[in-house]
């Protein structure tokens, strides 16, 4: 695991360069996308680089990590909506090549893995991390062998995400997420964590035991992971 520590802005710039490098080498790369507040600076930088002609997503395909059960893509808190507004509408990607798991047709969740495989597998998966160590919506206790599946969100995750909704009651109770195995199948993983609140979990997933109780700790077993941290998130390392 390679750890890179800098300011949030520099971290976003460096992570964006990974996309530039990958897409230069493989214009039709398969990208794994993430939501949350953490990737916003990175997505803004990708949009800037795309407009400046330094990177093109015209041939790329994208598969997002997760979606809330019950929200369709027109809901402003759905992850499909988030991706459209914060990234896809600002870059030259073909919308037909952007995939987010369906929060409505959840009975076909496992087919997402087959689709990813049929596309050739994810070349680079972007991740954030939840305060409890979740990646995607894989909450503590998720089997490392899991593929895309429906999960019940923990109370702490619903509380953490309530800030985006009008009240906690509106936060969905379930989500569909790529599994741990789906994420581990990616050829390369980049994880970004910023802010003081993430410092304890950052220390735990990097330095602690590899355990299903800390989903992100599985990344210690992946051959190509880069972790981008700002100084606050890295402060307990
Ligand atoms: C959400 C998402 C995760 C994300 C995490 C952290 O629940 N499902 O993919 O990494 O929370 O979000 P943030 O970046 O806003 O801290």
């Amino acid at each position: 695991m390679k750890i890179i520590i800098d300011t949030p802005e520099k971290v976003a710039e460096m992570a964006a360069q990974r996309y530039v490098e990958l897409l230069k080498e493989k214009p039709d790369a398969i990208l794994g996308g993430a939501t949350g507040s953490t990737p916003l600076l990175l997505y803004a930088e990708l949009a800037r680089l795309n407009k400046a002609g330094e990177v093109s997503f015209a041939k790329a395909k994208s598969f997002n990590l997760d979606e809330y059960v019950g929200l369709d893509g027109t809901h402003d808190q759905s992850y499909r909506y988030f991706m459209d507004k914060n990234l896809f509408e600002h870059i030259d990607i073909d919308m037909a090549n952007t995939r987010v798991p369906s929060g409505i047709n959840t009975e076909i969740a496992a087919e997402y893995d087959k689709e990813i495989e049929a596309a050739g597998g994810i070349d680079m998966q972007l991740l954030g991390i939840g305060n409890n160590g979740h990646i995607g919506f894989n909450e503590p206790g998720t089997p490392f062998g899991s593929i895309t599946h429906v999960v019940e969100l923990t109370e702490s995750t619903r509380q953490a995400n309530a800030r985006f909704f009008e009240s906690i009651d509106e936060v969905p109770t379930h989500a569909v997420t790529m599994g741990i195995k789906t994420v581990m199948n990616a050829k390369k993983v980049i994880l970004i964590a910023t802010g003081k609140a993430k410092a304890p979990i950052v220390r735990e997933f990097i330095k602690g035991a590899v355990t299903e109780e800390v989903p992100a700790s599985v990344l210690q077993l992946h051959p190509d992971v880069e972790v981008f941290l700002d100084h606050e998130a890295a402060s307990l390392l």
Side-chain angles (χ1 to χ4, degrees), residues 33-40 65-68 79 126-131 134-139 153 157-158 160-161 163-164 175 177 192-194 198:
T35 53
S37 13
T38 311
L40 288 174
L65 276 170
D66 47 12
E67 180 60 282
Y68 286 115
Y79 284 169
L126 173 66
L127 296 176
I129 185 168
N131 292 328
H134 74 222
I135 47 177
F137 268 131
N138 291 288
E139 299 283 28
L153 299 176
T157 296
R158 292 186 67 237
N161 291 0
R163 66 190 194 276
F164 301 112
T177 181
I192 307 179
T194 52
K198 298 283 170 72

Side-chain angles (χ1 to χ4, degrees), residues 63 99 101-102 105-118 145-150 176-179 182 185:
F63 287 89
R99 294 280 292 114
S102 171
N105 302 319
T106 52
E107 68 289 347
I108 56 159
E111 282 176 29
Y112 201 60
D113 283 66
K114 290 186 195 139
E115 251 188 79
I116 293 170
E117 210 178 304
S146 53
I147 61 168
T148 305
H149 62 296
V150 173
V176 51
T177 181
M178 282 186 195
T182 322
N185 280 342

Side-chain angles (χ1 to χ4, degrees), residues 11-51:
V11 153
E13 279 171 33
M14 286 188 279
Q17 283 310 310
R18 296 297 179 270
Y19 287 79
V20 174
E21 292 155 14
L22 173 63
L23 289 162
K24 193 175 276 176
E25 191 189 308
K26 189 175 180 187
D28 60 350
I30 314 293
L31 307 171
T35 53
S37 13
T38 311
L40 288 174
L41 280 176
L42 164 65
Y43 289 164
E45 175 65 2
L46 290 177
R48 191 190 69 77
L49 290 168
N50 186 220
K51 282 199 177 63

